[in-house]
Amino acid sequence: MTSLLEGAKKLVGRGSDVSTRIEGLHTAAEAARGRLDDDLVDHAAEIAERAGARLSLSGNHTVVALAGATGSGKSSTFNALTGLDLAAIGVRRPTTSWTMACAWGTDGAGELMDWVGVPRRHQVSRDSMLDGPREDRELEGLVLLDLPDHDSTEVSHHVEVDRLVKLADLLVWVLDPQKYADAAIHDRYLKPLASHREIMLVALNHIDAVHESKRASMVADLELLLAADGLDGVPVIACSARYGEGIPELRRVIAGRVAAKKATRTRLMADVSTAAARLQQVNGDAKPGDVARERKAELVDAFADAAGVPTVVRAVEQSTRRRATRATGWPVTAWLGRLKPDPLKRLHLDLGSSAKELTGRSRASIPEASPVQRARVDTAVRGVADSVASHLSPAWGPAVRRASISRFDDLNDALDRAVTGTDLGVSRTPLWWRLVQVLQWLIMLAALAGGIWLGVLVVMGYLQLPEPETPTYGGVPVPTALLIGGIAAGIVLGLLCRVFVRWSARAKARSVDRRLRTAIGEVTDELVIRPIDTELAAYRVVRDGLATALR
Ligand SMILES: Nc1nc2c(ncn2[C@@H]2O[C@H](COP(=O)(O)OP(=O)(O)O)[C@@H](O)[C@H]2O)c(=O)[nH]1
Ligand SMILES: [Mg+2]
């Protein structure tokens, strides 16, 4: 079964004007809570609550339901009030049959009746049933319901009565002189309704069957019984649906309720408008922009600076250059270079497979942000908050600013995680390094071979052994060419590679810078932009809600 609330929402969804406006104020107050002035917000919420409790289900209409036992005369009364022959009299409706409804003035009543569960074929617009203009303007907005007999054995009928009691502005309980004192009726139906005393009316029908001299005492007796039920003060109208006695009085009471409901509605909706207008005055109704892109870039710059990104990037460039030089340089000097520490290792940043283990566990040893860097972060964040707030009314300034720094406690950790968690990619050795390295070693071996060869020749000369034929190449002895040429070629190749190494280290540094800034960008999104966006979303909800409330 659709819950009452869902039903009400459905009504709202279908554009019941009053409830849409109340819901608008309610939504706006909820979203503004903690962001705009508390007193204003509380007031708006209270008004929405009060109006909602009173009007949200059937705000545009006055719902009057006729209830009672079979044969008491509900259907006859229904017909007498509508002046139409709509409800079948004297028949106990089959279980598939439900409430019969008639609406005076049709605006939105169909939706209301749908929700009540009145089948379309049982919904009647009184206007469409009359030829000429209606004379009973005072009943405009009335929805009259002829409920299923309450003594029906069908459980669903009881359920429906419960639903209707929550919705009805007036519940007319129809009794007849024969059964008005029936204990079962009082215990089972009337007593439980004591809490709805305000909306109850009892019609003592079939009064034509009671002798005139006995009518007054019967009404008095019934009033006593009602008082015993906890229904004291509930008006009793003696009437005869068949002959029309008492029906004008019943109609008058109903018209009074219609007028009272209209007055209540007018007053409550005026309250809704006033509360919404006051909140809107503070809230403003400008269309807010998003956080500008250049602002975001400033933010990332400041955060990257504070996180030590330039330090890391510099270290990456130096480290890459050093490792590349070691790989591609002349093996002798490269070997000596091995003794200097790697700048990245000094920062505890990744080199090789241990990098992943470092992630999230140990902090990088990047120097803490300096006061200047912190100040730059503060300025950048305030810049973003101010630029967003500048589109909004002054009342939103504090909320936006508060949101912008709300996650500052997590800042250091988040930045550190961003840096240590980013794969710097420095452990990968480019193919050309390896190729050059192999080439360097071949050249080195050639030089070494030349050296040994020459050494052997020297030793043989020293020992006065017959000198073997030494091949020459272009007039230079081959071992000499190998030794000198090898050393020269190695040094030249190493120097040549330095140009590429420098270029390649810079490229690596640039790519690391990009990666780190992407990671830092996520941190700024998470810690600064998103909280601000939440405020902007709240602002939009407040603005739209108030616009709806003031429609
Ligand atoms: N004499 C008399 N008969 C009535 C009156 N109201 C209803 N009836 C008759 O009582 C019977 C039951 O009426 P009905 O309107 O169908 O009662 P319901 O079951 O409550 O809808 C029908 O035969 C009606 O004609 C009344 O005020 N006076
Ligand atoms: Mg009936």
Side-chain angles (χ1 to χ4, degrees):
M1 197 183 89
T2 336
S3 79
L4 203 67
L5 201 73
E6 278 168 57
K9 290 230 175 85
K10 221 181 274 167
L11 276 181
V12 170
R14 291 204 221 122
S16 157
D17 183 41
V18 164
S19 32
T20 312
R21 289 183 51 197
I22 297 171
E23 185 68 24
L25 183 60
H26 179 76
T27 317
E30 287 300 297
R33 191 170 297 289
R35 298 179 162 113
L36 298 181
D37 179 70
D38 279 344
D39 289 344
L40 265 182
V41 171
D42 287 346
H43 177 69
E46 195 191 310
I47 294 286
E49 187 104 344
R50 198 190 315 151
R54 190 68 196 86
L55 299 176
S56 68
L57 278 178
S58 61
N60 297 321
H61 306 92
T62 306
V63 179
V64 175
L66 300 167
T70 312
S72 58
K74 297 180 298 298
S75 300
S76 304
T77 310
F78 183 87
N79 286 349
L81 287 170
T82 57
L84 301 166
D85 204 10
L86 293 173
I89 291 174
V91 286
R92 183 165 180 156
R93 272 168 284 166
T95 52
T96 50
S97 201
W98 293 74
T99 305
M100 178 87 207
C102 178
W104 277 253
T106 45
D107 268 3
E111 283 141 25
L112 179 66
M113 292 191 281
D114 281 348
W115 182 70
V116 166
V118 181
R120 281 289 158 106
R121 65 182 184 286
H122 288 168
Q123 295 179 11
V124 175
S125 157
R126 187 153 179 288
D127 298 20
S128 64
M129 304 292 288
L130 296 173
D131 298 335
R134 252 189 22 230
E135 67 286 359
D136 51 354
R137 279 278 151 214
E138 81 271 14
L139 293 185
E140 181 80 35
L142 170 65
V143 175
L144 185 65
L145 304 172
D146 178 12
L147 299 191
D149 306 329
H150 72 67
D151 45 358
S152 159
T153 49
E154 275 292 301
V155 176
S156 62
H157 288 186
H158 301 306
V159 172
E160 198 183 45
V161 170
D162 286 345
R163 264 151 74 85
L164 286 166
V165 162
K166 295 203 178 85
L167 182 75
D169 294 287
L170 184 64
L171 188 60
V172 179
W173 201 274
V174 185
L175 293 172
D176 68 55
Q178 235 119 77
K179 282 185 262 175
Y180 80 89
D182 195 339
I185 288 181
H186 285 270
D187 292 344
R188 276 192 72 188
Y189 301 105
L190 294 174
K191 270 183 195 157
L193 286 169
S195 55
H196 298 285
R197 202 172 56 197
E198 303 286 304
I199 61 154
M200 290 272 290
L201 172 80
V202 171
L204 185 57
N205 195 33
H206 288 261
I207 204 70
D208 55 285
V210 180
H211 194 272
E212 283 199 41
S213 61
K214 293 200 177 135
R215 288 180 191 176
S217 62
M218 187 179 279
V219 168
D221 187 32
L222 175 54
E223 277 171 348
L224 278 178
L225 289 172
L226 289 173
D229 292 337
L231 289 169
D232 45 314
V234 168
V236 174
I237 294 175
C239 63
S240 164
R242 182 183 279 178
Y243 300 109
E245 243 179 296
I247 294 298
E249 199 188 338
L250 191 56
R251 185 190 298 271
R252 219 168 20 250
V253 172
I254 291 174
R257 290 289 163 130
V258 172
K261 175 90 179 252
K262 262 188 204 142
T264 305
R265 178 171 61 237
T266 309
R267 202 185 60 238
L268 285 174
M269 291 324 280
D271 288 350
V272 166
S273 296
T274 311
R278 279 173 61 188
L279 203 52
Q280 194 185 49
Q281 211 169 27
V282 171
N283 186 66
D285 65 348
K287 238 187 161 68
D290 281 325
V291 180
R293 183 169 307 174
E294 71 267 21
R295 288 286 181 190
K296 269 189 200 174
E298 259 170 51
L299 207 57
V300 172
D301 272 351
F303 276 49
D305 202 23
V309 168
T311 312
V312 176
V313 168
R314 231 177 359 257
V316 165
E317 186 173 350
Q318 283 168 6
S319 162
T320 309
R321 202 188 307 165
R322 187 159 305 168
R323 286 174 344 109
T325 308
R326 206 186 309 147
T328 63
W330 192 46
V332 178
T333 48
W335 185 80
L336 289 172
R338 204 171 281 266
L339 302 174
K340 283 195 220 158
D342 188 291
L344 267 182
K345 277 206 173 119
R346 258 205 319 260
L347 293 177
H348 291 193
L349 281 172
D350 79 338
L351 277 179
S353 57
S354 61
K356 285 281 162 280
E357 283 155 36
L358 267 167
T359 309
R361 276 200 210 163
S362 77
R363 294 180 64 96
S365 300
I366 302 157
E368 285 270 311
S370 69
V372 175
Q373 289 169 327
R374 283 302 296 229
R376 195 179 159 202
V377 165
D378 290 346
T379 310
V381 170
R382 195 166 332 115
V384 172
D386 286 350
S387 92
V388 168
S390 71
H391 298 285
L392 309 176
S393 76
W396 279 87
V400 171
R401 238 163 270 133
R402 224 171 19 243
S404 72
I405 55 168
S406 61
R407 304 278 313 271
F408 262 31
D409 287 348
D410 306 335
L411 192 63
N412 281 335
D413 281 349
L415 288 179
D416 206 61
R417 261 201 309 280
V419 174
T420 50
T422 301
D423 177 14
L424 302 180
V426 283
S427 55
R428 283 184 289 277
T429 310
L431 186 62
W432 74 270
W433 292 14
R434 287 185 203 280
L435 291 178
V436 171
Q437 201 167 27
V438 169
L439 195 60
Q440 279 287 24
W441 279 105
L442 287 177
I443 291 171
M444 185 76 181
L445 283 178
L448 208 63
I452 290 169
W453 191 340
L454 283 178
V456 168
L457 286 180
V458 167
V459 170
M460 283 173 77
Y462 182 74
L463 296 176
Q464 301 289 310
L465 291 170
E467 194 173 319
E469 182 93 2
T470 308
T472 59
Y473 184 80
V476 183
V478 169
T480 316
L482 278 177
L483 179 64
I484 309 259
I487 290 172
I491 290 172
V492 168
L493 181 61
L495 290 177
L496 212 67
C497 280
R498 279 196 178 204
V499 179
F500 289 101
V501 161
R502 201 160 289 159
W503 173 81
S504 144
R506 262 202 302 275
K508 169 105 288 170
R510 268 197 302 275
S511 113
V512 163
D513 189 57
R514 253 195 318 276
R515 282 184 209 194
L516 285 172
R517 270 165 209 278
T518 307
I520 301 275
E522 277 160 24
V523 172
T524 60
D525 275 354
E526 170 78 25
L527 297 189
V528 180
I529 307 288
R530 199 171 309 158
I532 290 181
D533 277 344
T534 308
E535 296 308 292
L536 278 178
Y539 167 79
R540 283 193 200 97
V541 171
V542 175
R543 188 194 55 173
D544 296 349
L546 292 179
T548 307
L550 289 167
R551 205 154 61 189

